[in-house]
Amino acid sequence: MLAEQYEEETGVVVTVDTPGPADYVAKLQAAAQANDMPDVYTAVGATDMAPFYKAGWALRLDDELADGWSDNFTPAVLELTAFPEGNPLEVPAGSYAAYWELATFGLLVQPETAGIDAANPPTTIDEMIDEFNDGTFSVAASLTPSLLQSYASNYMTDEEINATFTGDAPWTTDAWENTFQLLVDLTEGGVIANDALPGGSDDNPTVEKSFFNIQDTGAIFDGSWAVAVAKTTAPDFTDYVSMVLPAASDGDYEPRSPGVTGRGAAVNAKGDHVDEALAFVKWLTEPEQQKVFVDEAGMIPTNPELLDSLAVPDQIAGMASAIGDIQIVPVQLTADVNDAIIRGSQSIVLGEKTVEQVLEEVQTAQDQSS
Amino acid sequence: MTTPTAVAAARRQDLAPRKRWPYRKHAVGLLFLLPATALICLFTLVPFAQAILLSFQEWDGISPDTPWVGLENYERVFGDQVFWESMKNVLAFAVIGFFIGNAISLGMAMAVHKARRARSFFRTAYYIPGVFSVVVIGLMWGWLYEPSVGIINRLLVSIGLEGLQQNWLGDPALALGSVAVTFVWYHWGFGFILFLAGLQDIPAEQYEAASLDGARAWAKFRYVTWPHLVPVTTIVGLLSLLGALQIFGTVQVLTNGGPGYHTMVPTLVIYTEAFTSHRYGVAAAMSVIFGGALVLLALIQLGLTQRRSRS
């Protein structure tokens, strides 16, 4: 729809190629290897995109941002997306992608099934575990790193979390032990559905299906993008609320959701239409276009004006409220660490490994990545 | 001046048959083989050689630089516990696929061969799983195994066996077996069709003769059916073994190697190294080790089968 509108307004033809989310990065790698990269391409996580940026496949956007384009983005987004000097991914410092979606994490809860009072929701994890019905909570294995990063903010500042991700601070600290203890508490509290974290390549869609479509799960941990999934797959199901992850009873800080960028794009610096591609991406990030994404897909925008006047659906209000105090952790987990956390979390829930064992493995993965 | 004797000798030499190119009579055959050989070289041997070369280099999949790192990638692979654990898992898949999978295929082929009615229906029905995409199969079985609303658990409840309900893919004790069941179901059609073709080639007179000699069912199978099926069994056994060792899609869709690493297989580790961790050099080293092991295993199995055939 937006591509057609852009073509009408400017005469520039935009051809949208949709390879689908599965194996997107692998397909993009194949395109780079074949020297056949598109003029504009979706920018996903920093770890996946870093090789493309290092190889010169993305235009540095810093000059354009400094020239007024940055007004279209809330400062937190710019901070989250810029590669700092000396980053562990070894990408030259700068910004390489523009994003029009900001995502937060939290709980989606169907109060009756979960067993909580929506008007008086639990404020601590202990209360949540007490109130939740048995086997009512689910989180996809692939989202456990985000769950744990959310909970880590009870015990650490953003700088401390960032230092762990860069490898400058160890994983084997009391703060991380307290963080991973969440999985033990949820397991011992009996609230995890089927006593296991769903895995497989479609683990989060499976969890979302059990919440939105089958409705046999009372609460799930997910990103704010899940609302777009619900709008598409279960438009009639609106009997749920979102909320930030409750605080730890023994936390040192106010909990903060990880702030992650959602949909965004990079411009191919070696493409045949660099100027046209850049103009199109800039147009996509303007408030009018971001509003379309908000209205059509329920996205949380990155534009400050839209964020201030954001009229989000009731279901996403709880997650959207986290925007005001999100974690600013520019460095992402490496693939090795991410994988170690996912598999370690499954093992903790199954009672196969202790928190200490898993943290040792995560530290080994961190050392291996460095 | 030329003497008459010399002229005669020269004539004899002219009349003698020319020394022919030794491969002349095979030339046409070789010519027909040339396109296939060229394609195998281009798409199998050259990439394999490139993989060996890459296993001594470092590459993130995008960068134009591929620095030489010597044996560093191999050192990393030899110290990688996950890779070696995945080797153990895939051996379990191979044993299940080879013995149980082929036994089921053979059993089904014999049953259909003996069936007097609806033979075409069963032939189609048994072969059908193999025509679907592995992603479709994975999603379908994912729903069958789903712990709360999956068909298997629902079925158990409906027949009063609630106690047997399981988290088929989430329980480490069951996950590998559950994935193996899916794999066997998906691949049994291939062995079934070949075994059926092999059974249909066995002359009926041999069974009649065996009956006249008083042979019962087991004796007929042991001394008539099985010897005739040896060539088919060799090829089915080899291909099903290699197929099981290269299992990828079923595992990726159903469990992604989890829970933990309980269903992790080498092909998935290699894929993750290359496409998620961007360590193509390490992935290539793993491929060389794993591919070498597959070739070795195939040669051993072929050698054993040939020895058995000769004896």
Side-chain angles (χ1 to χ4, degrees):
Chain A
M1 186 174 84
L2 285 172
E4 283 172 13
Q5 184 187 331
Y6 189 72
E7 189 178 337
E8 281 171 19
E9 287 179 17
T10 63
V12 175
V13 179
V14 179
T15 307
V16 181
D17 189 15
T18 49
D23 302 327
Y24 166 70
V25 177
K27 286 169 185 163
L28 202 62
Q29 281 181 16
Q33 288 162 17
N35 217 10
D36 188 29
M37 286 283 279
D39 291 321
V40 178
Y41 54 93
T42 297
V44 290
T47 311
D48 283 324
M49 300 315 294
F52 296 92
Y53 301 162
K54 281 194 283 187
W57 283 112
L59 191 70
R60 268 186 70 166
L61 306 176
D62 299 78
D63 290 345
E64 297 290 331
L65 288 166
D67 202 23
W69 189 18
S70 60
D71 295 343
N72 273 350
F73 306 97
T74 189
V77 170
L78 296 174
E79 212 172 331
L80 278 170
T81 54
F83 285 86
E85 201 70 57
N87 62 82
L89 296 171
E90 297 172 0
V91 177
S95 295
Y96 295 86
Y99 293 87
W100 49 88
E101 183 189 20
L102 186 60
T104 61
F105 291 93
L107 299 176
L108 294 174
V109 184
Q110 205 289 324
E112 200 176 321
T113 313
I116 66 164
D117 177 4
N120 188 23
T123 54
T124 67
I125 282 290
D126 291 342
E127 282 177 22
M128 184 189 92
I129 293 172
D130 283 345
E131 291 176 28
F132 269 1
N133 291 328
D134 284 352
T136 200
F137 172 71
S138 191
V139 54
S142 62
L143 278 187
T144 48
S146 303
L147 171 70
L148 293 167
Q149 189 185 336
S150 286
Y151 200 58
S153 64
N154 286 285
Y155 305 104
M156 284 173 272
T157 62
D158 293 355
E159 290 73 23
E160 287 169 328
I161 294 171
N162 198 60
T164 318
F165 288 7
T166 57
D168 294 328
W171 284 89
T172 49
T173 61
D174 289 346
W176 282 109
E177 275 190 29
N178 290 337
T179 301
F180 277 65
Q181 183 64 27
L182 169 67
L183 297 168
V184 178
D185 294 342
L186 290 169
T187 306
E188 290 178 349
V191 298
I192 296 183
N194 305 306
D195 301 322
L197 305 178
S201 58
D202 275 335
D203 58 357
N204 199 42
T206 302
V207 168
E208 287 169 346
K209 201 176 286 181
S210 70
F211 182 79
F212 293 121
N213 303 91
I214 303 168
Q215 296 164 22
D216 65 339
T217 302
I220 62 172
F221 179 84
D222 209 336
S224 50
W225 59 76
V227 175
V229 176
K231 282 185 91 165
T232 315
T233 63
D236 298 330
F237 177 57
T238 53
D239 187 21
Y240 65 94
V241 296
S242 67
M243 52 193 268
V244 292
L245 191 69
S249 306
D250 58 347
D252 302 315
Y253 305 98
E254 280 292 313
R256 306 167 306 282
S257 165
V260 290
T261 44
R263 274 76 161 183
V267 173
N268 179 4
K270 302 178 191 175
D272 294 333
H273 310 97
V274 178
D275 293 338
E276 294 90 336
L278 178 63
F280 177 61
V281 172
K282 286 171 89 170
W283 180 81
L284 278 177
T285 62
E286 284 172 7
E288 296 77 20
Q289 281 65 250
Q290 289 206 29
K291 180 91 170 50
V292 176
F293 288 117
V294 174
D295 295 340
E296 296 295 321
M299 290 182 191
I300 298 176
T302 54
N303 183 277
E305 287 170 33
L306 279 178
L307 268 175
D308 289 343
S309 61
L310 189 63
V312 295
D314 292 344
Q315 292 80 20
I316 197 66
M319 279 189 186
S321 70
I323 289 285
D325 189 21
I326 55 172
Q327 286 181 38
I328 306 293
V329 179
V331 172
Q332 290 195 353
L333 294 170
T334 65
D336 292 323
V337 173
N338 200 53
D339 194 54
I341 293 176
I342 290 170
R343 298 183 189 284
S345 299
Q346 285 184 310
S347 298
I348 289 174
V349 171
L350 291 167
E352 293 184 315
K353 288 180 182 166
T354 63
V355 166
E356 292 78 12
Q357 284 174 314
V358 169
L359 285 172
E360 287 288 344
E361 288 174 4
V362 174
Q363 184 62 55
T364 305
Q366 181 81 56
D367 297 341
Q368 200 175 28
S369 317
S370 314
Chain B
M1 186 179 161
T2 309
T3 64
T5 317
V7 172
R11 278 187 187 152
R12 271 199 305 273
Q13 205 171 14
D14 284 347
L15 290 172
R18 277 185 196 160
K19 194 177 178 185
R20 297 175 71 179
W21 184 50
Y23 300 107
R24 193 176 166 188
K25 69 175 180 182
H26 302 302
V28 176
L30 289 173
L31 208 62
F32 277 116
L33 282 175
L34 200 61
T37 310
L39 288 173
I40 289 171
C41 283
L42 188 63
F43 294 112
T44 305
L45 297 182
V46 171
F48 193 66
Q50 280 182 326
I52 294 173
L53 183 68
L54 186 59
S55 70
F56 297 103
Q57 294 172 314
E58 189 182 295
W59 189 41
D60 63 8
I62 311 290
S63 166
D65 303 322
T66 54
W68 188 262
V69 294
L71 292 171
E72 203 177 286
N73 292 331
Y74 285 93
E75 284 170 18
R76 191 176 181 125
V77 175
F78 283 115
D80 189 334
Q81 288 183 350
V82 174
F83 180 68
W84 297 107
E85 280 298 315
S86 75
M87 287 286 224
K88 287 183 197 164
N89 290 338
V90 87
L91 279 179
F93 281 118
V95 168
I96 295 170
F98 184 77
F99 289 106
I100 300 177
N102 286 334
I104 292 172
S105 296
L106 179 59
M108 292 192 313
M110 290 176 71
V112 171
H113 183 58
K114 289 213 167 173
R116 296 188 177 178
R117 300 171 71 177
R119 196 186 277 191
S120 300
F121 168 77
F122 285 113
R123 206 164 43 204
T124 310
Y126 288 154
Y127 190 71
I128 256 182
V131 305
F132 292 116
S133 144
V134 69
V135 177
V136 173
I137 298 297
L139 291 174
M140 193 174 84
W141 278 85
W143 276 103
L144 286 173
Y145 285 136
E146 212 281 326
S148 51
V149 294
I151 292 173
I152 294 175
N153 279 352
R154 283 286 170 104
L155 196 66
L156 289 169
V157 172
S158 68
I159 57 174
L161 296 173
E162 295 91 343
L164 294 181
Q165 287 186 98
Q166 303 289 343
N167 189 350
W168 302 100
L169 297 173
D171 184 341
L174 298 170
L176 194 140
S178 302
V179 176
V181 166
T182 307
F183 178 80
V184 167
W185 180 84
Y186 183 37
H187 287 90
W188 69 24
F190 172 72
F192 162 75
I193 283 291
L194 291 185
F195 279 129
L196 188 61
L199 288 168
Q200 286 168 348
D201 279 348
I202 301 174
E205 298 80 25
Q206 295 202 7
Y207 287 108
E208 288 165 14
S211 297
L212 289 172
D213 288 343
R216 294 193 174 183
W218 170 247
K220 284 183 192 171
F221 176 79
R222 172 73 182 83
Y223 297 107
V224 179
T225 310
W226 186 244
H228 276 94
L229 285 182
V230 164
V232 178
T233 310
T234 303
I235 194 69
V236 172
L238 181 64
L239 294 179
S240 61
L241 183 69
L242 293 179
L245 287 168
Q246 294 174 68
I247 184 172
F248 174 74
T250 321
V251 175
Q252 193 198 23
V253 178
L254 283 175
T255 61
N256 209 19
Y261 295 97
H262 288 283
T263 58
M264 185 57 90
V265 288
T267 46
L268 193 53
V269 180
I270 292 167
Y271 177 87
T272 308
E273 275 295 321
F275 293 104
T276 308
S277 301
H278 307 291
R279 287 190 292 258
Y280 278 71
V282 178
M286 288 176 171
S287 303
V288 170
I289 293 170
F290 184 57
L294 290 186
V295 170
L296 194 67
L297 205 65
L299 290 175
I300 290 171
Q301 209 216 348
L302 277 176
L304 286 174
T305 313
Q306 279 174 355
R307 206 165 66 178
R308 195 177 59 190
S309 299
R310 278 199 296 271
S311 70

